[in-house]
Amino acid sequence: MASGSFRGQLWRHLRAIGPQLGAQSQPARFYNSTSIPAAKKKYVPKSGTYPQGFQASGTIVGVKPGNTTKPDLAFVTSDRPCAAAAVFTKNKFQAAPVTFSRELLRGKQNRGIRSVLVNSGCANAVTGKGGLEDAVKMAQEADKCVGAEEATIVMSTGVIGQRLPIDKILSNVPAAYEALGSSHEHWLTCAKAICTTDTFPKLISRTFALPSSPSVEYRIAGMTKGAGMIHPNMATLLGIITTDAPISPDLLPPALKYAVDRSFNCITIDGDTSTNDTVALLANGAAGGNEVTSETSVDYEAFRAVLAEFATDLAKLIVRDGEGATKFVTIRVTEAANEEAARKVASTIARSPLVKTALYGKDANWGRILCATGYALISEPGQPANEVSEIIPEKTNVSFVPTDGSAELRLLVNGEPQLVDETRAAQILEFEDQEILVKLGTGKAEATYWTCDYSHEYITINGDYRT
């Protein structure tokens, strides 16, 4: 490795900051998901339309002790260099793959990326210098296969504090490369390979058009994983999104940030933000057409809208697969003084254990929703109060909105409690999909969060996840 190369400079930088990431711990057992529950099979696609020039594979490595049946090494490649961008966790204890991939994209200026390599079963987080070395080795082995240098983003997911079985992974990267293909089964197997406590693989694909090239069919495909330790920014999730649209490397980061802020940063399962969260976007331009080069162009606005909607649909799948979840819950806050206030109220309700357990118990305990609303905007100690965003009880409204299209059930109207039809409330709470509507009456801003309920199974999964 030449000392003057970007790889050399990157490696020296990573070694310098390695001690900040901690040391390894002892091996442990893992929680293992069983077959896909019948209620979740409807979310697994039976076919797809995938971007030109990309291939995918999922390979069994056995990263988890005893795993001999589940693919746990995912490989996504492009036959040409891609523009690339990624959004990473804000947790201070950031995993080695996060540190490596961020520095790689920064050094490459979001250009020249060819592949993404992901292992499940071990997070390679809080693993010190050795963990950073393992992340680099994974990238180098993938680079050898695709015939490019400094061209691979790496991700890992699983238990924190354990070193990767790196020799086992490296020896299987060539097999993962040989297994690459462009069929739906290849992509679905790849999506399975990034799962941990997920009960189903999360994969979406679709087509779209751009205004300046209306005759060109563009394709976008993406996979994600996540079921627990989910809360912005971002959640214990990994996401890989690919497109064959020609997007300038300079435009991918703002487009991805816009999309993530409206999708992956609007979901919560348990209020915990992980060490490994990464959502990466690769665009190889293989479909042709005019390159999108300006943030003020109609093409950019159109692509950004497509990406945001696509990311939202991926993010919703994570909530639907929340550990132990039985409900998919939309929290919609409207008539807020500003968007920040709306987001804070929605987020607070969405992560309230009391709200989530009431929904699991099918209990129309709207007082818990009101309680969470009331403390959402309380100023932190030492911070000035935000009078503009203050909750005004006399203007606050709370309703259950049935997902069958029937009339909303009003629980609180302008601060006055309503005589609730408990039978009607029970009928609404039987639905798998729930919506809670809160109108603050202080402005025109709004925000939406997606969450799930808390069940007994959540405790079982996380009490047994490691030990």
Side-chain angles (χ1 to χ4, degrees):
M1 179 170 62
S3 60
S5 69
F6 169 71
R7 179 81 76 184
Q9 296 171 15
L10 173 60
W11 177 232
R12 286 194 295 275
H13 172 69
L14 294 177
R15 287 188 63 88
I17 65 174
Q20 302 171 23
L21 301 182
Q24 71 183 83
S25 62
Q26 296 300 312
R29 293 184 291 113
F30 299 81
Y31 172 86
N32 287 305
S33 299
T34 55
S35 59
I36 299 174
K40 302 295 177 73
K41 289 182 179 180
K42 60 189 175 185
Y43 301 118
V44 181
K46 293 182 172 58
S47 62
T49 305
Y50 300 99
Q52 298 180 49
F54 284 99
Q55 293 186 313
S57 70
T59 305
I60 300 172
V61 170
V63 175
K64 294 180 181 180
N67 174 43
T68 59
T69 59
K70 175 189 174 298
D72 52 4
L73 186 66
F75 205 3
V76 176
T77 69
S78 169
D79 62 5
R80 66 201 71 192
C82 300
V87 177
F88 301 97
T89 180
K90 292 185 178 180
N91 192 304
K92 295 299 182 183
F93 288 92
Q94 298 187 347
V98 170
T99 303
F100 170 80
S101 297
R102 177 188 285 112
E103 294 296 325
L104 176 67
L105 287 171
R106 183 179 297 154
K108 298 278 288 186
Q109 297 182 321
N110 302 105
R111 292 163 167 79
I113 300 301
R114 288 282 302 275
S115 57
V116 181
L117 184 67
V118 188
N119 77 271
S120 63
C122 179
N124 191 12
V126 199
T127 46
K129 291 181 179 179
L132 287 165
E133 185 176 83
D134 291 344
V136 172
K137 287 179 179 178
M138 285 178 62
Q140 289 176 332
E141 194 64 32
D143 287 348
K144 290 178 186 177
C145 292
V146 300
E149 294 185 359
E150 302 161 4
T152 301
I153 295 170
V154 294
M155 304 180 191
S156 297
T157 182
V159 172
I160 296 168
Q162 298 179 358
R163 286 288 298 279
L164 291 170
I166 190 61
D167 291 338
K168 187 185 293 186
I169 291 174
L170 296 180
S171 64
N172 278 280
V173 172
Y177 178 75
E178 291 299 320
L180 288 168
S182 56
S183 72
H184 173 67
E185 286 306 315
H186 284 97
W187 282 89
L188 188 60
T189 304
C190 187
K192 292 177 181 178
I194 67 176
C195 292
T196 51
T197 61
D198 306 66
T199 65
F200 67 92
K202 301 162 185 65
L203 175 68
I204 299 176
S205 64
R206 62 187 52 154
T207 62
F208 64 97
L210 294 176
S212 71
S213 304
S215 62
V216 180
E217 179 186 82
Y218 294 111
R219 300 177 180 184
I220 186 169
M223 64 189 74
T224 189
K225 64 82 52 182
M229 203 180 285
I230 301 290
H231 187 69
N233 287 294
M234 284 176 306
T236 185
L237 64 88
L238 301 182
I240 305 168
I241 301 174
T242 60
T243 181
D244 52 18
I247 314 297
S248 165
D250 296 329
L251 298 187
L252 279 193
L256 182 60
K257 183 180 185 304
Y258 177 91
V260 166
D261 282 346
R262 288 155 180 79
S263 56
F264 295 109
N265 279 341
C266 288
I267 61 173
T268 183
I269 287 176
D270 48 22
D272 279 336
T273 297
S274 179
T275 56
N276 288 59
D277 316 329
T278 304
V279 174
L281 170 63
L282 277 65
N284 67 5
N290 299 319
E291 184 180 14
V292 182
T293 59
S294 171
E295 282 192 68
T296 61
S297 69
V298 292
D299 279 351
Y300 176 75
E301 291 183 3
F303 173 74
R304 192 177 68 168
V306 167
L307 181 63
E309 181 180 1
F310 185 83
T312 297
D313 289 343
L314 276 177
K316 287 180 178 179
L317 290 178
I318 292 176
V319 176
R320 290 194 180 279
D321 199 23
E323 289 174 341
T326 67
K327 305 289 185 185
F328 175 86
V329 187
T330 299
I331 312 292
R332 192 155 58 94
V333 176
T334 65
E335 298 180 7
N338 53 58
E339 185 177 350
E340 180 184 4
R343 288 174 68 90
K344 283 185 177 180
V345 172
S347 173
T348 303
I349 297 170
R351 68 175 185 268
S352 166
L354 292 178
V355 172
K356 293 157 77 71
T357 50
L359 291 170
Y360 171 65
K362 303 173 186 177
D363 179 10
N365 194 341
W366 59 267
R368 294 181 175 183
I369 301 170
L370 199 64
C371 178
T373 301
Y375 69 72
L377 301 179
I378 294 176
S379 300
E380 296 293 331
Q383 298 295 319
N386 187 349
E387 299 296 336
V388 176
S389 300
E390 187 177 3
I391 301 295
I392 301 175
E394 294 79 13
K395 293 185 177 182
T396 303
N397 294 260
V398 177
S399 300
F400 285 142
V401 180
T403 54
D404 63 356
S406 59
E408 68 183 74
L409 179 63
R410 296 184 177 184
L411 308 171
L412 187 77
V413 176
N414 294 327
E416 292 292 330
Q418 303 299 290
L419 183 61
V420 177
D421 182 340
E422 294 292 343
T423 300
R424 176 65 177 140
Q427 291 172 343
I428 293 172
L429 292 174
E430 285 289 337
F431 295 135
E432 177 184 347
D433 286 21
Q434 304 286 321
E435 181 175 331
I436 296 171
L437 173 63
V438 177
K439 297 179 181 179
L440 297 180
T442 57
K444 297 182 179 180
E446 58 183 68
T448 301
Y449 259 63
W450 297 280
T451 190
C452 59
D453 57 346
Y454 271 157
S455 71
H456 301 291
E457 183 66 13
Y458 178 83
I459 304 301
T460 300
I461 291 171
N462 285 284
D464 189 45
Y465 184 70
R466 180 180 178 277
T467 57

